[in-house]
Amino acid sequence: MCPDNFKTSLLFPLIVLCFSFGKAQEIVELPHENPENIQWADEPNEYYSKIWKTQVVTNVSRPTLEVFRPVGVAPNGTGIIIAPGGGLYALSVNKEGEDVARWLNQKGITAFVLNYRLVPTGKDGVRELETDGEKVGEKVAPILPLAIADGLTAVSYVRENARELGVSPDKIGLMGFSAGGSVTMGVAFNASEDKMPDFLVPVYAWMTIMGEYEVPEEAPPIAVVCASNDLLAQESVKLYAAWQDSGVPAEIHLYSKGGHGFGMLKQN
């Protein structure tokens, strides 16, 4: 269980890194408890994945929140927590994380990149994801609730510290890519009123792993994004339709092309 009062908790030291443009100004370690039956043998590993052709982080056991404040642009009070994707084996920290944060910063939005807990892996978690096959579902099952808990904790942290972070407590959104979209929607399906994001942006969300779901009674507005030639496109349409049928404000943007995992890439 996570402590309710973040200001008195000693579990999330705020580490000031730097204030140069494009870099996280702080990294916050979020309160968490790891189950005894799940062991991470190594420290988190950041490297360039030749398979995905992008920078990734794997083997995360301690969730953190990277703070990106607008530089040279007046903050508009909106805060967005970003959950990168990676099949819960990895985090695509550039094109679905830091690059997104910098793009939001240009619009006056304060961004927070969430490094949520992942499947314990060796040095190359991406390769393990590609080769585990049918084992993926088995390995992901106990990790997804932990990742969702990290998302809930992140929303609470930002809302609890809204004034210090320069955001409005009623303008805190959650944006997630692929497995990060699973985390985003898992937060919405499990949040109490104080932990519910004010809006949701699932981008090509991996919804099949969520099983059957219902739109929460106090669901926030949603903006669904996907590419039509993504194998998960129909799941995105279903998600949008569920919100629409419930009378909750919803919008969807389906690109004609783009595939899965495009993030902030420019594909003409």
Side-chain angles (χ1 to χ4, degrees):
M1 299 296 291
C2 296
D4 293 327
N5 190 337
F6 287 91
K7 292 185 177 179
T8 60
S9 173
L10 299 178
L11 297 178
F12 64 101
L14 194 64
I15 306 173
V16 178
L17 294 184
C18 61
F19 287 88
S20 60
F21 178 76
K23 298 291 186 180
Q25 286 102 13
E26 302 106 34
I27 296 181
V28 178
E29 184 171 334
L30 297 172
H32 64 283
E33 291 184 9
N34 286 333
E36 294 182 359
N37 64 329
I38 302 177
Q39 299 293 325
W40 287 266
D42 300 312
E43 290 297 309
N45 186 34
E46 181 170 353
Y47 62 101
Y48 181 84
S49 169
K50 294 181 180 179
I51 296 175
W52 287 355
K53 295 180 174 59
T54 190
Q55 196 78 1
V56 299
V57 172
T58 60
N59 206 51
V60 175
S61 61
R62 297 187 302 274
T64 60
L65 201 60
E66 299 180 25
V67 183
F68 288 78
R69 303 173 189 265
V71 176
V73 180
N76 60 22
T78 299
I80 296 183
I81 299 165
I82 304 162
L88 288 166
Y89 275 63
L91 298 173
S92 182
V93 290
N94 279 3
K95 67 178 181 178
E96 295 178 353
E98 294 180 6
D99 291 348
V100 183
R102 286 187 281 268
W103 181 76
L104 292 172
N105 283 167
Q106 293 172 10
K107 301 178 181 302
I109 297 170
T110 303
F112 309 87
V113 176
L114 174 62
N115 289 266
Y116 51 85
R117 283 171 283 185
L118 300 172
V119 171
T121 59
K123 293 298 182 182
D124 192 347
V126 172
R127 187 169 299 279
E128 289 186 36
L129 173 63
E130 298 291 321
T131 59
D132 270 353
E134 295 181 356
K135 294 181 181 179
V136 169
E138 178 184 339
K139 289 187 176 182
V140 161
I143 299 300
L144 180 58
L146 302 180
I148 292 171
D150 297 338
L152 291 164
T153 305
V155 174
S156 291
Y157 175 82
V158 175
R159 188 163 284 144
E160 180 76 17
N161 296 277
R163 177 177 294 182
E164 293 87 343
L165 294 168
V167 301
S168 174
D170 60 353
K171 292 183 179 180
I172 298 169
L174 184 54
M175 167 187 276
F177 297 76
S178 193
S182 309
V183 173
T184 295
M185 298 315 302
V187 167
F189 297 145
N190 291 277
S192 55
E193 183 178 354
D194 62 319
K195 294 183 179 180
M196 182 67 81
D198 296 298
F199 57 90
L200 306 166
V201 188
V203 184
Y204 43 80
W206 183 19
M207 293 303 296
T208 52
I209 195 175
M210 305 300 295
E212 295 297 321
Y213 58 84
E214 295 183 0
V215 179
E217 289 186 9
E218 300 298 326
I222 193 170
V224 181
V225 181
C226 196
S228 295
N229 63 342
D230 188 332
L231 292 176
L232 302 183
Q234 288 301 319
E235 289 299 313
S236 290
V237 173
K238 179 181 176 181
L239 180 60
Y240 162 76
W243 248 250
Q244 182 83 343
D245 292 345
S246 297
V248 182
E251 62 181 79
I252 185 169
H253 188 109
L254 285 176
Y255 293 98
S256 62
K257 294 186 293 184
H260 187 75
F262 52 81
M264 294 297 292
L265 292 179
K266 294 182 179 180
Q267 301 186 96
N268 301 314

